[in-house]
Amino acid sequence: MTGTLVLAGTPIGDLADAPPRLARELAAADIVAAEDTRRLRRLTQALEVQPGGRVVSYFEGNEAARTPELADALAGGARVLLVTDAGMPSVSDPGYRLVAAAVERGIAVTAVPGPSAVLTALALSGLPVDRFCFEGFLPRKAGERLSRLAESAAERRTLVFFEAPHRLAATLSAMAEVFGAERPAAVCRELTKTYEEVRRGPLAELADWASQGVRGEITVVVEGAPEPGPQEWDDAGLARLVATREEAGESRKEAIAAVAKEVRRPKREVFDAVVAVKRDSGRAAPGRAASGPARTGG
């Protein structure tokens, strides 16, 4: 008989939000794998429960090395409970490797549903929630961040991101550049905690607010792109999307192909738009010769 892997959702702020079943699972598990054993201790004290089995750490630094050990324990019949610092394991937290290893071995995987920063932020944002996509954390480097955002420029579903407070202003500025300064968004801070705050407004306005400094756990919700009309993307808009991707390191050919797919326009139209804008730019600057379609940036 093989064991069972249990993924347990934990509170994202208020420990009183812990699901009732969590205490029972903590007491029954043979092994509790915790992202932070100190936070687990605070949680078990709040729930007035003692883990019934062995407690081990399972975090980003040891996830790859510890997964085989836990998978072997599951194969031997152990009930393993996986908890992360907040929310559901595997969602921008450790867990995916262990789930994949368990599935590969035919081991049962179940979950204890719990609080979710993604769903909580969506519900509080005031933005459409009928269709959405979760993007997690954006890359730290500015060029890679712009490239990732450019991939979502034409996404019509509501977008949800996690972000660190010290990078929030830069991220919102990049979003305003790629998505448009007036795109509606919401910054959800310290959800379910004492100083919970939801700030709503256009991306440019939120970026200006964040430049003063923001603390706490951050979830950003951004309204999806409007339904594109036949004339919605003019030459300048298409050229700007291509330029953003080029600045992030893509070749012009790659950028044009990606933008054409995003906005659902033929590649030839996007190429012609880039050429037209470059030609017009050359005319506006008499001292510079207009260049052809070949890429000139780095």
Side-chain angles (χ1 to χ4, degrees), residues 7-94:
L7 308 178
T10 55
I12 59 176
D14 190 338
L15 295 182
D17 291 335
R21 183 177 149 207
L22 178 57
R24 298 198 302 272
E25 291 289 352
L26 284 165
D30 299 302
I31 300 173
V32 178
E35 184 177 10
D36 187 327
T37 56
R38 292 168 299 181
R39 290 200 182 191
L40 174 65
R41 191 175 304 116
R42 289 197 291 271
L43 178 61
T44 56
Q45 289 172 350
L47 298 178
E48 299 181 345
V49 64
Q50 285 291 330
R54 181 165 58 101
V55 174
V56 300
S57 63
Y58 189 75
F59 61 99
E60 184 179 3
N62 72 354
E63 183 179 5
R66 180 142 282 171
T67 293
E69 171 192 333
L70 293 175
D72 287 344
L74 286 164
R79 188 173 185 84
V80 176
L81 180 69
L82 177 59
V83 294
T84 53
D85 290 350
M88 182 61 66
S90 294
V91 182
S92 287
D93 277 334

Side-chain angles (χ1 to χ4, degrees), residues 244-282:
T244 297
R245 285 182 168 276
E246 286 190 276
E247 289 169 6
E250 294 185 14
S251 69
R252 177 158 297 178
K253 182 178 180 181
E254 291 171 336
I256 287 173
V259 169
K261 183 177 180 180
E262 289 169 15
V263 301
R264 300 183 180 182
R265 299 276 286 276
K267 285 189 287 186
R268 169 53 64 179
E269 286 188 20
V270 179
F271 174 82
D272 289 345
V274 172
V275 172
V277 169
K278 182 172 285 290
R279 182 180 61 243
D280 292 344
S281 176

Side-chain angles (χ1 to χ4, degrees), residues 139-200:
R140 291 181 174 86
K141 294 182 179 179
E144 294 176 1
R145 183 166 56 231
L146 281 172
S147 180
R148 178 75 64 80
L149 289 172
E151 292 174 1
S152 302
E155 174 60 64
R156 294 197 289 278
R157 293 172 295 179
T158 298
L159 301 156
V160 184
F161 302 85
F162 287 161
E163 191 50 280
H166 63 280
R167 292 196 298 268
L168 180 62
T171 291
L172 291 171
S173 294
M175 288 177 173
E177 177 183 343
V178 177
F179 297 156
E182 297 302 313
R183 180 81 72 89
V187 176
C188 304
R189 186 180 73 85
E190 294 290 87
L191 290 171
T192 77
K193 300 179 184 177
T194 302
Y195 298 104
E196 176 180 285
E197 179 182 16
V198 179
R199 192 91 175 191
R200 306 174 184 88

Side-chain angles (χ1 to χ4, degrees), residues 1-4 73-78 105-108:
M1 293 289 293
T2 57
T4 300
L74 286 164
R105 295 195 184 197
I107 295 166

Side-chain angles (χ1 to χ4, degrees), residues 201-222:
L203 280 169
E205 179 182 302
L206 292 173
D208 183 63
W209 163 75
S211 67
Q212 308 303 313
V214 179
R215 295 182 179 181
E217 300 287 336
I218 305 292
T219 304
V220 180
V221 185
V222 182

